[in-house]
PDB file of all heavy atoms in Angstrom:
ATOM      1  N   SER A  10     116.474 276.277 148.830  1.00 93.00           N
ATOM      2  CA  SER A  10     116.835 277.679 148.617  1.00 93.00           C
ATOM      3  C   SER A  10     117.416 278.288 149.884  1.00 93.00           C
ATOM      4  O   SER A  10     116.823 278.177 150.968  1.00 93.00           O
ATOM      5  CB  SER A  10     115.595 278.483 148.193  1.00 93.00           C
ATOM      6  OG  SER A  10     115.821 279.867 148.322  1.00 93.00           O
ATOM      7  N   PRO A  11     118.563 278.971 149.787  1.00 94.00           N
ATOM      8  CA  PRO A  11     119.112 279.641 150.970  1.00 94.00           C
ATOM      9  C   PRO A  11     118.214 280.768 151.474  1.00 94.00           C
ATOM     10  O   PRO A  11     118.190 281.059 152.673  1.00 94.00           O
ATOM     11  CB  PRO A  11     120.463 280.181 150.482  1.00 94.00           C
ATOM     12  CG  PRO A  11     120.365 280.229 148.994  1.00 94.00           C
ATOM     13  CD  PRO A  11     119.449 279.118 148.606  1.00 94.00           C
ATOM     14  N   VAL A  12     117.474 281.401 150.585  1.00 93.00           N
ATOM     15  CA  VAL A  12     116.550 282.463 151.007  1.00 93.00           C
ATOM     16  C   VAL A  12     115.427 281.869 151.850  1.00 93.00           C
ATOM     17  O   VAL A  12     115.006 282.462 152.853  1.00 93.00           O
ATOM     18  CB  VAL A  12     115.993 283.213 149.785  1.00 93.00           C
ATOM     19  CG1 VAL A  12     114.936 284.228 150.212  1.00 93.00           C
ATOM     20  CG2 VAL A  12     117.110 283.906 149.017  1.00 93.00           C
ATOM     21  N   VAL A  13     114.932 280.706 151.447  1.00 96.00           N
ATOM     22  CA  VAL A  13     113.909 280.019 152.247  1.00 96.00           C
ATOM     23  C   VAL A  13     114.456 279.693 153.632  1.00 96.00           C
ATOM     24  O   VAL A  13     113.779 279.895 154.653  1.00 96.00           O
ATOM     25  CB  VAL A  13     113.449 278.731 151.532  1.00 96.00           C
ATOM     26  CG1 VAL A  13     112.603 277.860 152.474  1.00 96.00           C
ATOM     27  CG2 VAL A  13     112.650 279.075 150.282  1.00 96.00           C
ATOM     28  N   ARG A  14     115.694 279.221 153.709  1.00 97.00           N
ATOM     29  CA  ARG A  14     116.284 278.875 155.005  1.00 97.00           C
ATOM     30  C   ARG A  14     116.519 280.129 155.863  1.00 97.00           C
ATOM     31  O   ARG A  14     116.446 280.062 157.095  1.00 97.00           O
ATOM     32  CB  ARG A  14     117.587 278.106 154.790  1.00 97.00           C
ATOM     33  CG  ARG A  14     117.364 276.775 154.083  1.00 97.00           C
ATOM     34  CD  ARG A  14     118.621 275.930 154.006  1.00 97.00           C
ATOM     35  NE  ARG A  14     118.396 274.733 153.202  1.00 97.00           N
ATOM     36  CZ  ARG A  14     117.776 273.643 153.647  1.00 97.00           C
ATOM     37  NH1 ARG A  14     117.346 273.602 154.892  1.00 97.00           N
ATOM     38  NH2 ARG A  14     117.611 272.600 152.849  1.00 97.00           N
ATOM     39  N   LEU A  15     116.769 281.252 155.195  1.00 97.00           N
ATOM     40  CA  LEU A  15     116.909 282.510 155.928  1.00 97.00           C
ATOM     41  C   LEU A  15     115.577 282.896 156.569  1.00 97.00           C
ATOM     42  O   LEU A  15     115.520 283.259 157.760  1.00 97.00           O
ATOM     43  CB  LEU A  15     117.380 283.607 154.967  1.00 97.00           C
ATOM     44  CG  LEU A  15     117.719 284.966 155.581  1.00 97.00           C
ATOM     45  CD1 LEU A  15     118.978 284.873 156.438  1.00 97.00           C
ATOM     46  CD2 LEU A  15     117.908 286.005 154.476  1.00 97.00           C
ATOM     47  N   ASN A  16     114.502 282.808 155.797  1.00 97.00           N
ATOM     48  CA  ASN A  16     113.177 283.109 156.347  1.00 97.00           C
ATOM     49  C   ASN A  16     112.771 282.093 157.410  1.00 97.00           C
ATOM     50  O   ASN A  16     112.097 282.449 158.391  1.00 97.00           O
ATOM     51  CB  ASN A  16     112.142 283.126 155.223  1.00 97.00           C
ATOM     52  CG  ASN A  16     112.350 284.285 154.272  1.00 97.00           C
ATOM     53  OD1 ASN A  16     112.847 285.338 154.657  1.00 97.00           O
ATOM     54  ND2 ASN A  16     111.986 284.099 153.014  1.00 97.00           N
ATOM     55  N   ARG A  17     113.201 280.856 157.230  1.00 97.00           N
ATOM     56  CA  ARG A  17     112.902 279.833 158.233  1.00 97.00           C
ATOM     57  C   ARG A  17     113.571 280.173 159.568  1.00 97.00           C
ATOM     58  O   ARG A  17     112.987 279.937 160.637  1.00 97.00           O
ATOM     59  CB  ARG A  17     113.390 278.459 157.743  1.00 97.00           C
ATOM     60  CG  ARG A  17     113.160 277.340 158.750  1.00 97.00           C
ATOM     61  CD  ARG A  17     113.767 276.020 158.282  1.00 97.00           C
ATOM     62  NE  ARG A  17     113.592 274.976 159.289  1.00 97.00           N
ATOM     63  CZ  ARG A  17     114.383 274.805 160.335  1.00 97.00           C
ATOM     64  NH1 ARG A  17     115.450 275.608 160.509  1.00 97.00           N
ATOM     65  NH2 ARG A  17     114.150 273.848 161.211  1.00 97.00           N
ATOM     66  N   ALA A  18     114.777 280.749 159.528  1.00 97.00           N
ATOM     67  CA  ALA A  18     115.463 281.118 160.768  1.00 97.00           C
ATOM     68  C   ALA A  18     114.640 282.131 161.562  1.00 97.00           C
ATOM     69  O   ALA A  18     114.581 282.074 162.798  1.00 97.00           O
ATOM     70  CB  ALA A  18     116.846 281.682 160.451  1.00 97.00           C
ATOM     71  N   VAL A  19     113.984 283.053 160.870  1.00 97.00           N
ATOM     72  CA  VAL A  19     113.112 284.018 161.555  1.00 97.00           C
ATOM     73  C   VAL A  19     111.962 283.280 162.226  1.00 97.00           C
ATOM     74  O   VAL A  19     111.627 283.535 163.394  1.00 97.00           O
ATOM     75  CB  VAL A  19     112.568 285.058 160.564  1.00 97.00           C
ATOM     76  CG1 VAL A  19     111.585 285.993 161.268  1.00 97.00           C
ATOM     77  CG2 VAL A  19     113.703 285.860 159.948  1.00 97.00           C
ATOM     78  N   ALA A  20     111.331 282.360 161.471  1.00 97.00           N
ATOM     79  CA  ALA A  20     110.201 281.613 162.021  1.00 97.00           C
ATOM     80  C   ALA A  20     110.618 280.767 163.221  1.00 97.00           C
ATOM     81  O   ALA A  20     109.894 280.674 164.220  1.00 97.00           O
ATOM     82  CB  ALA A  20     109.589 280.726 160.931  1.00 97.00           C
ATOM     83  N   VAL A  21     111.798 280.138 163.143  1.00 98.00           N
ATOM     84  CA  VAL A  21     112.306 279.363 164.281  1.00 98.00           C
ATOM     85  C   VAL A  21     112.517 280.278 165.484  1.00 98.00           C
ATOM     86  O   VAL A  21     112.204 279.913 166.631  1.00 98.00           O
ATOM     87  CB  VAL A  21     113.624 278.651 163.899  1.00 98.00           C
ATOM     88  CG1 VAL A  21     114.297 278.058 165.137  1.00 98.00           C
ATOM     89  CG2 VAL A  21     113.360 277.558 162.870  1.00 98.00           C
ATOM     90  N   GLY A  22     113.027 281.483 165.229  1.00 97.00           N
ATOM     91  CA  GLY A  22     113.225 282.437 166.318  1.00 97.00           C
ATOM     92  C   GLY A  22     111.928 282.821 166.997  1.00 97.00           C
ATOM     93  O   GLY A  22     111.896 283.074 168.214  1.00 97.00           O
ATOM     94  N   GLU A  23     110.841 282.872 166.229  1.00 97.00           N
ATOM     95  CA  GLU A  23     109.535 283.196 166.816  1.00 97.00           C
ATOM     96  C   GLU A  23     108.936 281.993 167.535  1.00 97.00           C
ATOM     97  O   GLU A  23     108.313 282.132 168.588  1.00 97.00           O
ATOM     98  CB  GLU A  23     108.576 283.662 165.712  1.00 97.00           C
ATOM     99  CG  GLU A  23     109.003 284.916 164.979  1.00 97.00           C
ATOM    100  CD  GLU A  23     108.900 286.172 165.843  1.00 97.00           C
ATOM    101  OE1 GLU A  23     108.358 286.083 166.969  1.00 97.00           O
ATOM    102  OE2 GLU A  23     109.370 287.236 165.400  1.00 97.00           O
ATOM    103  N   ALA A  24     109.134 280.806 166.960  1.00 97.00           N
ATOM    104  CA  ALA A  24     108.522 279.611 167.538  1.00 97.00           C
ATOM    105  C   ALA A  24     109.272 279.103 168.764  1.00 97.00           C
ATOM    106  O   ALA A  24     108.652 278.701 169.761  1.00 97.00           O
ATOM    107  CB  ALA A  24     108.448 278.504 166.486  1.00 97.00           C
ATOM    108  N   ASP A  25     110.624 279.126 168.697  1.00 97.00           N
ATOM    109  CA  ASP A  25     111.435 278.495 169.749  1.00 97.00           C
ATOM    110  C   ASP A  25     112.350 279.460 170.489  1.00 97.00           C
ATOM    111  O   ASP A  25     113.166 279.033 171.306  1.00 97.00           O
ATOM    112  CB  ASP A  25     112.288 277.378 169.129  1.00 97.00           C
ATOM    113  CG  ASP A  25     111.444 276.301 168.465  1.00 97.00           C
ATOM    114  OD1 ASP A  25     110.349 276.010 168.997  1.00 97.00           O
ATOM    115  OD2 ASP A  25     111.870 275.769 167.432  1.00 97.00           O
ATOM    116  N   GLY A  26     112.252 280.735 170.187  1.00 97.00           N
ATOM    117  CA  GLY A  26     113.087 281.718 170.867  1.00 97.00           C
ATOM    118  C   GLY A  26     114.212 282.214 169.975  1.00 97.00           C
ATOM    119  O   GLY A  26     114.661 281.507 169.059  1.00 97.00           O
ATOM    120  N   PRO A  27     114.709 283.433 170.252  1.00 97.00           N
ATOM    121  CA  PRO A  27     115.714 284.045 169.375  1.00 97.00           C
ATOM    122  C   PRO A  27     117.023 283.265 169.285  1.00 97.00           C
ATOM    123  O   PRO A  27     117.659 283.265 168.233  1.00 97.00           O
ATOM    124  CB  PRO A  27     115.916 285.429 169.989  1.00 97.00           C
ATOM    125  CG  PRO A  27     115.422 285.327 171.398  1.00 97.00           C
ATOM    126  CD  PRO A  27     114.317 284.332 171.355  1.00 97.00           C
ATOM    127  N   ARG A  28     117.434 282.606 170.344  1.00 97.00           N
ATOM    128  CA  ARG A  28     118.697 281.862 170.275  1.00 97.00           C
ATOM    129  C   ARG A  28     118.589 280.665 169.338  1.00 97.00           C
ATOM    130  O   ARG A  28     119.558 280.312 168.648  1.00 97.00           O
ATOM    131  CB  ARG A  28     119.144 281.449 171.668  1.00 97.00           C
ATOM    132  CG  ARG A  28     119.474 282.660 172.528  1.00 97.00           C
ATOM    133  CD  ARG A  28     120.223 282.338 173.775  1.00 97.00           C
ATOM    134  NE  ARG A  28     120.545 283.572 174.506  1.00 97.00           N
ATOM    135  CZ  ARG A  28     121.239 283.627 175.634  1.00 97.00           C
ATOM    136  NH1 ARG A  28     121.701 282.491 176.179  1.00 97.00           N
ATOM    137  NH2 ARG A  28     121.468 284.778 176.228  1.00 97.00           N
ATOM    138  N   ALA A  29     117.418 280.040 169.300  1.00 97.00           N
ATOM    139  CA  ALA A  29     117.208 278.954 168.339  1.00 97.00           C
ATOM    140  C   ALA A  29     117.248 279.505 166.912  1.00 97.00           C
ATOM    141  O   ALA A  29     117.800 278.871 166.009  1.00 97.00           O
ATOM    142  CB  ALA A  29     115.869 278.269 168.606  1.00 97.00           C
ATOM    143  N   GLY A  30     116.676 280.693 166.731  1.00 97.00           N
ATOM    144  CA  GLY A  30     116.724 281.326 165.422  1.00 97.00           C
ATOM    145  C   GLY A  30     118.142 281.667 165.009  1.00 97.00           C
ATOM    146  O   GLY A  30     118.538 281.470 163.849  1.00 97.00           O
ATOM    147  N   LEU A  31     118.939 282.174 165.959  1.00 97.00           N
ATOM    148  CA  LEU A  31     120.341 282.499 165.665  1.00 97.00           C
ATOM    149  C   LEU A  31     121.140 281.241 165.341  1.00 97.00           C
ATOM    150  O   LEU A  31     122.033 281.270 164.486  1.00 97.00           O
ATOM    151  CB  LEU A  31     120.960 283.239 166.855  1.00 97.00           C
ATOM    152  CG  LEU A  31     120.485 284.681 167.051  1.00 97.00           C
ATOM    153  CD1 LEU A  31     120.911 285.202 168.420  1.00 97.00           C
ATOM    154  CD2 LEU A  31     121.048 285.578 165.941  1.00 97.00           C
ATOM    155  N   ALA A  32     120.816 280.135 165.991  1.00 97.00           N
ATOM    156  CA  ALA A  32     121.502 278.880 165.686  1.00 97.00           C
ATOM    157  C   ALA A  32     121.189 278.432 164.262  1.00 97.00           C
ATOM    158  O   ALA A  32     122.071 277.956 163.530  1.00 97.00           O
ATOM    159  CB  ALA A  32     121.090 277.801 166.688  1.00 97.00           C
ATOM    160  N   ALA A  33     119.932 278.593 163.853  1.00 97.00           N
ATOM    161  CA  ALA A  33     119.561 278.249 162.475  1.00 97.00           C
ATOM    162  C   ALA A  33     120.240 279.188 161.488  1.00 97.00           C
ATOM    163  O   ALA A  33     120.680 278.770 160.409  1.00 97.00           O
ATOM    164  CB  ALA A  33     118.045 278.308 162.312  1.00 97.00           C
ATOM    165  N   LEU A  34     120.367 280.439 161.876  1.00 97.00           N
ATOM    166  CA  LEU A  34     120.998 281.432 161.000  1.00 97.00           C
ATOM    167  C   LEU A  34     122.492 281.165 160.851  1.00 97.00           C
ATOM    168  O   LEU A  34     123.068 281.422 159.784  1.00 97.00           O
ATOM    169  CB  LEU A  34     120.762 282.827 161.576  1.00 97.00           C
ATOM    170  CG  LEU A  34     121.202 284.015 160.729  1.00 97.00           C
ATOM    171  CD1 LEU A  34     120.379 284.094 159.441  1.00 97.00           C
ATOM    172  CD2 LEU A  34     121.061 285.315 161.518  1.00 97.00           C
ATOM    173  N   ALA A  35     123.115 280.637 161.885  1.00 96.00           N
ATOM    174  CA  ALA A  35     124.566 280.403 161.855  1.00 96.00           C
ATOM    175  C   ALA A  35     124.975 279.407 160.779  1.00 96.00           C
ATOM    176  O   ALA A  35     126.123 279.402 160.329  1.00 96.00           O
ATOM    177  CB  ALA A  35     125.028 279.913 163.227  1.00 96.00           C
ATOM    178  N   ALA A  36     124.039 278.571 160.355  1.00 94.00           N
ATOM    179  CA  ALA A  36     124.353 277.572 159.330  1.00 94.00           C
ATOM    180  C   ALA A  36     124.325 278.152 157.917  1.00 94.00           C
ATOM    181  O   ALA A  36     124.657 277.453 156.956  1.00 94.00           O
ATOM    182  CB  ALA A  36     123.350 276.421 159.425  1.00 94.00           C
ATOM    183  N   LEU A  37     123.968 279.444 157.780  1.00 96.00           N
ATOM    184  CA  LEU A  37     123.815 280.051 156.463  1.00 96.00           C
ATOM    185  C   LEU A  37     124.955 281.015 156.158  1.00 96.00           C
ATOM    186  O   LEU A  37     125.581 281.569 157.065  1.00 96.00           O
ATOM    187  CB  LEU A  37     122.479 280.797 156.393  1.00 96.00           C
ATOM    188  CG  LEU A  37     121.232 279.956 156.656  1.00 96.00           C
ATOM    189  CD1 LEU A  37     119.986 280.833 156.645  1.00 96.00           C
ATOM    190  CD2 LEU A  37     121.103 278.847 155.617  1.00 96.00           C
ATOM    191  N   ASP A  38     125.204 281.231 154.889  1.00 93.00           N
ATOM    192  CA  ASP A  38     126.246 282.151 154.426  1.00 93.00           C
ATOM    193  C   ASP A  38     125.852 283.582 154.779  1.00 93.00           C
ATOM    194  O   ASP A  38     124.760 284.046 154.406  1.00 93.00           O
ATOM    195  CB  ASP A  38     126.402 281.997 152.908  1.00 93.00           C
ATOM    196  CG  ASP A  38     127.577 282.793 152.353  1.00 93.00           C
ATOM    197  OD1 ASP A  38     128.074 283.690 153.048  1.00 93.00           O
ATOM    198  OD2 ASP A  38     127.984 282.511 151.208  1.00 93.00           O
ATOM    199  N   ASP A  39     126.723 284.297 155.500  1.00 91.00           N
ATOM    200  CA  ASP A  39     126.359 285.652 155.928  1.00 91.00           C
ATOM    201  C   ASP A  39     126.414 286.674 154.794  1.00 91.00           C
ATOM    202  O   ASP A  39     126.103 287.853 154.999  1.00 91.00           O
ATOM    203  CB  ASP A  39     127.239 286.115 157.103  1.00 91.00           C
ATOM    204  CG  ASP A  39     128.717 286.177 156.737  1.00 91.00           C
ATOM    205  OD1 ASP A  39     129.052 286.034 155.543  1.00 91.00           O
ATOM    206  OD2 ASP A  39     129.539 286.363 157.652  1.00 91.00           O
ATOM    207  N   SER A  40     126.778 286.242 153.572  1.00 90.00           N
ATOM    208  CA  SER A  40     126.726 287.154 152.427  1.00 90.00           C
ATOM    209  C   SER A  40     125.352 287.164 151.762  1.00 90.00           C
ATOM    210  O   SER A  40     125.121 287.932 150.820  1.00 90.00           O
ATOM    211  CB  SER A  40     127.782 286.762 151.389  1.00 90.00           C
ATOM    212  OG  SER A  40     127.486 285.513 150.802  1.00 90.00           O
ATOM    213  N   LEU A  41     124.433 286.336 152.238  1.00 91.00           N
ATOM    214  CA  LEU A  41     123.087 286.312 151.684  1.00 91.00           C
ATOM    215  C   LEU A  41     122.415 287.680 151.837  1.00 91.00           C
ATOM    216  O   LEU A  41     122.545 288.324 152.882  1.00 91.00           O
ATOM    217  CB  LEU A  41     122.225 285.283 152.414  1.00 91.00           C
ATOM    218  CG  LEU A  41     122.274 283.835 151.944  1.00 91.00           C
ATOM    219  CD1 LEU A  41     121.509 282.963 152.921  1.00 91.00           C
ATOM    220  CD2 LEU A  41     121.685 283.715 150.539  1.00 91.00           C
ATOM    221  N   PRO A  42     121.689 288.139 150.827  1.00 87.00           N
ATOM    222  CA  PRO A  42     120.928 289.388 150.985  1.00 87.00           C
ATOM    223  C   PRO A  42     119.982 289.292 152.177  1.00 87.00           C
ATOM    224  O   PRO A  42     119.340 288.266 152.380  1.00 87.00           O
ATOM    225  CB  PRO A  42     120.159 289.499 149.665  1.00 87.00           C
ATOM    226  CG  PRO A  42     120.992 288.748 148.683  1.00 87.00           C
ATOM    227  CD  PRO A  42     121.590 287.593 149.454  1.00 87.00           C
ATOM    228  N   ARG A  43     119.940 290.343 152.972  1.00 93.00           N
ATOM    229  CA  ARG A  43     119.082 290.484 154.162  1.00 93.00           C
ATOM    230  C   ARG A  43     119.527 289.591 155.328  1.00 93.00           C
ATOM    231  O   ARG A  43     118.830 289.522 156.346  1.00 93.00           O
ATOM    232  CB  ARG A  43     117.615 290.215 153.819  1.00 93.00           C
ATOM    233  CG  ARG A  43     117.055 291.222 152.820  1.00 93.00           C
ATOM    234  CD  ARG A  43     115.556 291.043 152.621  1.00 93.00           C
ATOM    235  NE  ARG A  43     115.018 292.121 151.801  1.00 93.00           N
ATOM    236  CZ  ARG A  43     114.960 292.104 150.465  1.00 93.00           C
ATOM    237  NH1 ARG A  43     115.390 291.027 149.823  1.00 93.00           N
ATOM    238  NH2 ARG A  43     114.474 293.114 149.790  1.00 93.00           N
ATOM    239  N   HIS A  44     120.684 288.929 155.203  1.00 96.00           N
ATOM    240  CA  HIS A  44     121.190 288.130 156.329  1.00 96.00           C
ATOM    241  C   HIS A  44     121.433 289.024 157.539  1.00 96.00           C
ATOM    242  O   HIS A  44     121.054 288.686 158.668  1.00 96.00           O
ATOM    243  CB  HIS A  44     122.480 287.422 155.915  1.00 96.00           C
ATOM    244  CG  HIS A  44     123.032 286.481 156.954  1.00 96.00           C
ATOM    245  ND1 HIS A  44     123.700 286.917 158.090  1.00 96.00           N
ATOM    246  CD2 HIS A  44     123.019 285.114 157.024  1.00 96.00           C
ATOM    247  CE1 HIS A  44     124.057 285.874 158.807  1.00 96.00           C
ATOM    248  NE2 HIS A  44     123.661 284.770 158.188  1.00 96.00           N
ATOM    249  N   ALA A  45     122.058 290.180 157.311  1.00 96.00           N
ATOM    250  CA  ALA A  45     122.356 291.088 158.425  1.00 96.00           C
ATOM    251  C   ALA A  45     121.073 291.601 159.075  1.00 96.00           C
ATOM    252  O   ALA A  45     121.008 291.766 160.303  1.00 96.00           O
ATOM    253  CB  ALA A  45     123.209 292.259 157.933  1.00 96.00           C
ATOM    254  N   ALA A  46     120.034 291.852 158.278  1.00 96.00           N
ATOM    255  CA  ALA A  46     118.768 292.343 158.829  1.00 96.00           C
ATOM    256  C   ALA A  46     118.115 291.285 159.720  1.00 96.00           C
ATOM    257  O   ALA A  46     117.582 291.599 160.796  1.00 96.00           O
ATOM    258  CB  ALA A  46     117.829 292.734 157.696  1.00 96.00           C
ATOM    259  N   VAL A  47     118.152 290.031 159.282  1.00 97.00           N
ATOM    260  CA  VAL A  47     117.595 288.943 160.100  1.00 97.00           C
ATOM    261  C   VAL A  47     118.403 288.784 161.384  1.00 97.00           C
ATOM    262  O   VAL A  47     117.840 288.636 162.484  1.00 97.00           O
ATOM    263  CB  VAL A  47     117.576 287.629 159.292  1.00 97.00           C
ATOM    264  CG1 VAL A  47     117.217 286.448 160.205  1.00 97.00           C
ATOM    265  CG2 VAL A  47     116.593 287.727 158.138  1.00 97.00           C
ATOM    266  N   ALA A  48     119.725 288.816 161.281  1.00 97.00           N
ATOM    267  CA  ALA A  48     120.572 288.705 162.465  1.00 97.00           C
ATOM    268  C   ALA A  48     120.288 289.843 163.442  1.00 97.00           C
ATOM    269  O   ALA A  48     120.231 289.634 164.668  1.00 97.00           O
ATOM    270  CB  ALA A  48     122.043 288.712 162.062  1.00 97.00           C
ATOM    271  N   ALA A  49     120.090 291.058 162.907  1.00 97.00           N
ATOM    272  CA  ALA A  49     119.796 292.212 163.763  1.00 97.00           C
ATOM    273  C   ALA A  49     118.495 291.996 164.524  1.00 97.00           C
ATOM    274  O   ALA A  49     118.414 292.252 165.738  1.00 97.00           O
ATOM    275  CB  ALA A  49     119.715 293.475 162.914  1.00 97.00           C
ATOM    276  N   TYR A  50     117.466 291.537 163.819  1.00 97.00           N
ATOM    277  CA  TYR A  50     116.169 291.313 164.460  1.00 97.00           C
ATOM    278  C   TYR A  50     116.275 290.280 165.578  1.00 97.00           C
ATOM    279  O   TYR A  50     115.760 290.482 166.696  1.00 97.00           O
ATOM    280  CB  TYR A  50     115.157 290.860 163.408  1.00 97.00           C
ATOM    281  CG  TYR A  50     113.823 290.480 163.991  1.00 97.00           C
ATOM    282  CD1 TYR A  50     112.930 291.440 164.457  1.00 97.00           C
ATOM    283  CD2 TYR A  50     113.456 289.130 164.099  1.00 97.00           C
ATOM    284  CE1 TYR A  50     111.711 291.081 165.002  1.00 97.00           C
ATOM    285  CE2 TYR A  50     112.235 288.764 164.637  1.00 97.00           C
ATOM    286  CZ  TYR A  50     111.369 289.733 165.094  1.00 97.00           C
ATOM    287  OH  TYR A  50     110.153 289.375 165.647  1.00 97.00           O
ATOM    288  N   LEU A  51     116.962 289.171 165.305  1.00 97.00           N
ATOM    289  CA  LEU A  51     117.085 288.119 166.311  1.00 97.00           C
ATOM    290  C   LEU A  51     117.953 288.571 167.488  1.00 97.00           C
ATOM    291  O   LEU A  51     117.678 288.220 168.645  1.00 97.00           O
ATOM    292  CB  LEU A  51     117.650 286.855 165.669  1.00 97.00           C
ATOM    293  CG  LEU A  51     116.725 286.157 164.654  1.00 97.00           C
ATOM    294  CD1 LEU A  51     117.462 285.049 163.918  1.00 97.00           C
ATOM    295  CD2 LEU A  51     115.474 285.605 165.353  1.00 97.00           C
ATOM    296  N   ARG A  52     119.009 289.343 167.200  1.00 97.00           N
ATOM    297  CA  ARG A  52     119.846 289.866 168.291  1.00 97.00           C
ATOM    298  C   ARG A  52     119.042 290.816 169.181  1.00 97.00           C
ATOM    299  O   ARG A  52     119.177 290.810 170.412  1.00 97.00           O
ATOM    300  CB  ARG A  52     121.062 290.596 167.717  1.00 97.00           C
ATOM    301  CG  ARG A  52     122.089 289.692 167.074  1.00 97.00           C
ATOM    302  CD  ARG A  52     122.826 288.863 168.109  1.00 97.00           C
ATOM    303  NE  ARG A  52     123.840 288.023 167.475  1.00 97.00           N
ATOM    304  CZ  ARG A  52     124.575 287.137 168.126  1.00 97.00           C
ATOM    305  NH1 ARG A  52     124.406 286.962 169.435  1.00 97.00           N
ATOM    306  NH2 ARG A  52     125.475 286.405 167.490  1.00 97.00           N
ATOM    307  N   GLU A  53     118.212 291.640 168.563  1.00 96.00           N
ATOM    308  CA  GLU A  53     117.375 292.537 169.361  1.00 96.00           C
ATOM    309  C   GLU A  53     116.419 291.734 170.238  1.00 96.00           C
ATOM    310  O   GLU A  53     116.238 292.051 171.424  1.00 96.00           O
ATOM    311  CB  GLU A  53     116.584 293.472 168.447  1.00 96.00           C
ATOM    312  CG  GLU A  53     115.686 294.429 169.232  1.00 96.00           C
ATOM    313  CD  GLU A  53     114.822 295.310 168.351  1.00 96.00           C
ATOM    314  OE1 GLU A  53     114.969 295.241 167.105  1.00 96.00           O
ATOM    315  OE2 GLU A  53     114.001 296.066 168.896  1.00 96.00           O
TER     316      GLU A  53
END
């Protein structure tokens, strides 16, 4: 599920740092619901 992978990117950002989370997020379609919210959190 792409939604699962989106939530996984948040968890990776917490476990390995925000840049690792952003790298995981980069592999996903940015049209996914809440993609922008996750990107915002990791950028912050």
Side-chain angles (χ1 to χ4, degrees):
S10 164
V12 175
V13 168
R14 297 187 186 281
L15 186 69
N16 292 331
R17 178 185 177 277
V19 176
V21 169
E23 298 290 352
D25 300 325
R28 295 194 178 182
L31 288 167
L34 187 65
L37 302 176
D38 187 343
D39 62 9
S40 67
L41 274 172
R43 297 187 173 88
H44 185 284
V47 171
Y50 175 74
L51 292 171
R52 289 289 182 184
E53 180 184 356

